[in-house]
Amino acid sequence: MKKTTQKGISYLLALALTMFMSACSTKTKDDKNITNDKNTTNGEPLLVKSSPIDDINASTMLVYINNVLDPNATNAYGYKAVKITYKTVGQDDNSSVVASGLLTIPTGMRTPSMICDNHGTIFRDSEAPTNVEVSSGTPDLKLAIVMTSYAGFVGIYPDYIGFGDSNGTVHPYILKKAAARSSVDMIKASMEYMTKNNISFDKKLYISGYSEGGYNAMATAKSIEDGSLSDVTLMGVAPMAGPYNVRDLADIELNTTHTMANPAFLADLAYSYAYYYDDVNLSEITIPTFDKFQRAFDGKNGSVQIHTILGLADIDNGDFGLMRHTAAELFKSEFITDYQNNANNLMVQKFEENNLDDWTPKSKMHFIQCLEDDIIPFSESNNTYHKFESAGADVSLIGIPTDRLRQQRDATHPFVHSNCGEEAYTVAVQWFSAIRSGTIK
């Protein structure tokens, strides 16, 4: 197998499409995937079942890469894709959830390392990794092509709670406990599957993620360093464009005159926190009623449909809800006023509880983000980087200029945040490869 060159991996990643940006008293918690098993992660097997999706040989992969991605490529790894169904624990400590994720294994690589990648915000269940990758005879998850078939890593892609096999459960959005648990347990279940099937791997782990995935990557890394997964060596973490300090971001967004770039993100945050915190009442926070949030976030709607249901879009008049509506149209003004002026505001406390910039990583960490990110301010990466650096962590930061992006803003690609994903993953996989090869010590 010919080693992938830095130039070659840049070319391929430039073309790869990645997964990123992409309650009131009536709420119930009777989701079909929740059980009362309190001991899900106390040492017993987590793997529920495995479902092979595809087994594509190296020749087919090379033809695919030559035709679609890199005409100059001369080698590729074969590619096994497996759906992993596993037990994890949700945001509620007493609730066990049957979740799922995609495992991609390079064939022809003797003892590959693992990358656990955490996808960005999605609203449709059809966008979950296990639903994107289907039995088609060709690879479907573009990032898996790069990480597994081209770069030779085992790829571990959690669907997250609320998608895939747990799509009857409300997605715990930007909640660090659930974020870490679903990814850590997916790693454990994937390792269990590979061990049972005599698939060798070196137990060296890399973690990446973009946007919500950047937050989840950080939560996963912290959880592992806190002892949730002792049977791996964490080699490097690449969080990209994540809201590491939830409070700081909320302080910007929760302003009566602030125009929301994509209201679905803030709406999902409010719905998730109201659902999972018993003392948070959605009717005291938002203008749309709880039933509208239930319909909006049922796993079938994209952001424009969500905006329409919540009264923040008028498609017939060309209003899709993007960059046109203020926070005061989604949140009650009395809530925003109290949030801004009351340090004891309940949501202030909840956001601070889920911050991820208050620890010191022991593993290498590389922050990656576009300088002009219009959804998550670059300050989220910059501030967290400086906090960690001051604490003595082995951290680095790269700010990507907008003019470097292959996809510039246009009518169908209006956000730098989304457009930056391809470039950010280019940097992340190159960094992982450099650590693996020993170029970065």
Side-chain angles (χ1 to χ4, degrees), residues 343-411:
N344 295 316
N345 178 277
L346 182 61
M347 292 307 292
V348 168
Q349 298 174 25
K350 300 304 184 186
F351 292 147
E352 288 183 345
E353 180 181 316
N354 286 282
N355 286 345
L356 282 168
D357 60 351
D358 55 357
W359 62 296
T360 303
K362 301 180 184 70
S363 308
K364 288 181 174 60
M365 184 171 290
H366 192 37
F367 290 93
I368 306 164
Q369 186 168 5
C370 267
L371 293 167
E372 297 179 341
D373 194 315
D374 40 15
I375 299 291
I376 306 293
F378 181 74
S379 59
E380 286 289 302
S381 292
N382 191 48
N383 292 346
T384 307
Y385 160 73
H386 283 295
K387 286 181 182 178
F388 289 172
E389 183 188 43
S390 296
D394 184 357
V395 292
S396 50
L397 167 69
I398 180 170
I400 302 172
T402 304
D403 61 12
R404 271 186 56 186
L405 301 185
R406 296 145 179 118
Q407 177 61 63
Q408 293 291 313
R409 284 178 176 170
D410 60 29

Side-chain angles (χ1 to χ4, degrees), residues 230-359:
S230 59
D231 199 24
V232 298
T233 301
L234 187 53
M235 302 296 293
V237 184
M240 298 174 275
Y244 315 116
N245 190 301
V246 188
R247 165 76 189 279
D248 283 352
L249 185 58
D251 286 353
I252 296 171
E253 297 290 339
L254 292 176
N255 185 303
T256 54
T257 61
H258 178 74
T259 299
M260 299 176 290
N262 191 334
F265 298 148
L266 280 177
D268 200 4
L269 188 69
Y271 180 47
S272 173
Y273 276 56
Y275 185 86
Y276 283 104
Y277 285 114
D278 289 334
D279 52 349
V280 175
N281 192 327
L282 194 65
S283 66
E284 296 175 355
I285 297 174
T286 64
I287 295 170
T289 56
F290 181 75
D291 64 303
K292 289 185 177 179
F293 281 87
Q294 284 182 308
R295 287 195 292 117
F297 295 102
D298 65 356
K300 300 175 183 177
N301 301 305
S303 60
V304 175
Q305 289 77 22
I306 291 169
H307 298 158
T308 302
I309 293 169
L310 298 179
L312 297 170
D314 182 359
I315 297 176
D316 291 339
N317 291 309
D319 175 9
F320 301 104
L322 305 175
M323 299 177 287
R324 295 183 65 166
H325 298 269
T326 66
E329 296 176 69
L330 178 60
F331 296 97
K332 292 184 175 180
S333 59
E334 54 267 35
F335 162 70
I336 295 177
T337 299
D338 190 69
Y339 180 88
Q340 292 174 330
N341 297 286
N342 180 8
N344 295 316
N345 178 277
L346 182 61
M347 292 307 292
V348 168
Q349 298 174 25
K350 300 304 184 186
F351 292 147
E352 288 183 345
E353 180 181 316
N354 286 282
N355 286 345
L356 282 168
D357 60 351
D358 55 357
W359 62 296

Side-chain angles (χ1 to χ4, degrees), residues 6 27 62 67 95 111 167 171 238-239 330 380 385 412 431:
Q6 182 121 333
K27 68 184 178 183
L62 180 59
N67 289 339
S95 298
T111 52
N167 65 359
H171 173 52
L330 178 60
E380 286 289 302
Y385 160 73
T412 56
W431 187 66

Side-chain angles (χ1 to χ4, degrees), residues 58-101:
S59 298
T60 300
M61 285 305 309
L62 180 59
V63 171
Y64 184 87
I65 289 171
N66 287 156
N67 289 339
V68 179
L69 298 173
D70 182 359
N72 299 313
T74 58
N75 292 284
Y77 293 102
Y79 179 105
K80 291 181 184 289
V82 181
K83 178 179 178 179
I84 298 295
T85 300
Y86 64 100
K87 292 181 292 182
T88 188
V89 178
Q91 181 68 15
D92 297 326
D93 291 334
N94 294 334
S95 298
S96 176
V97 181
V98 177
S100 58

